[in-house]
Amino acid sequence: MVVDLPYLRPARWHIRTAEGELLPMRLVYRLATNADRVPSDAPDQFRRLGFEMVRIGETSESRSFWWVNHKQTHRVELEGGYIWSPKENQNGARNQTYINLTLVRPGDVVISYAGAEIRAIGVATGAHQENPKPKAFGQAGQGWSEIGWFVPVEWSVLTKAISPKSHLERIVDLLPGKNSPLQRTGNGNQGCYLASISPDLGSLILSLTQSR
């Protein structure tokens, strides 16, 4: 079933705030001017005022794809519009799949995986931030450090979840060799939070969301 996903909509201009978040330009313009229509030169008007403009929704070779395994916290993160991780493992060891949050850029695509299914597709709307662990995690966050990495994400929940195991023959050879979100059996990799995946795998997942 085809669903409305922000990464497939026409490109839209956004204004980057000092905190790194992205605000829809059309909304800001209408609130500021009470105008019914937004002129085509509005991005230039904001640039002259010193704002950084970012275009989201267009195809770009620089866009990265990410896969987040968040069985314990996916409901909270989808409802809250973000992903969050500790900075390191409980024993203090380095974890690349936590560090990956610091590499996410606005416009990157994030695939949500929980309970053996892909549940949602998101687009990062801002740069990473150092934030306290969300209180909404509750018991799920026991043992994690109190400060970690936060990335705002605009999620689109799929009307019908996708089981990677049902498409394993197409997926398995596209999995990363290191820090893979899935094992070659199709089971989730519990030691992986946010994995960097190839454009080929990312594009395959997006195509599956549009062919249901």
Side-chain angles (χ1 to χ4, degrees), residues 50-122:
F51 291 99
E52 180 183 356
M53 304 302 297
V54 177
R55 195 168 173 86
I56 291 181
E58 57 194 344
T59 302
S60 172
E61 293 181 358
S62 65
R63 167 175 288 174
S64 296
F65 290 86
W66 306 93
W67 178 309
V68 61
N69 288 348
H70 55 168
K71 180 179 179 180
Q72 295 185 76
T73 58
H74 77 277
R75 287 190 179 88
V76 172
E77 292 185 312
L78 294 186
E79 291 173 1
Y82 62 86
I83 53 176
W84 184 95
S85 81
K87 291 185 175 182
E88 56 192 19
N89 291 336
Q90 292 184 31
N91 62 3
R94 180 180 183 274
N95 186 326
Q96 182 61 48
T97 69
Y98 293 161
I99 296 171
N100 280 345
L101 275 78
T102 68
L103 306 179
V104 177
R105 294 169 297 180
D108 284 358
V109 175
V110 185
I111 295 165
S112 167
Y113 175 85
E117 293 180 322
I118 294 170
R119 306 289 186 89
I121 306 294

Side-chain angles (χ1 to χ4, degrees), residues 174-195:
L174 299 178
L175 292 171
K178 190 174 182 181
N179 297 317
S180 175
L182 297 179
Q183 302 172 36
R184 294 188 69 82
T185 60
N187 294 326
N189 183 351
Q190 295 184 1
C192 175
Y193 179 67
L194 185 68

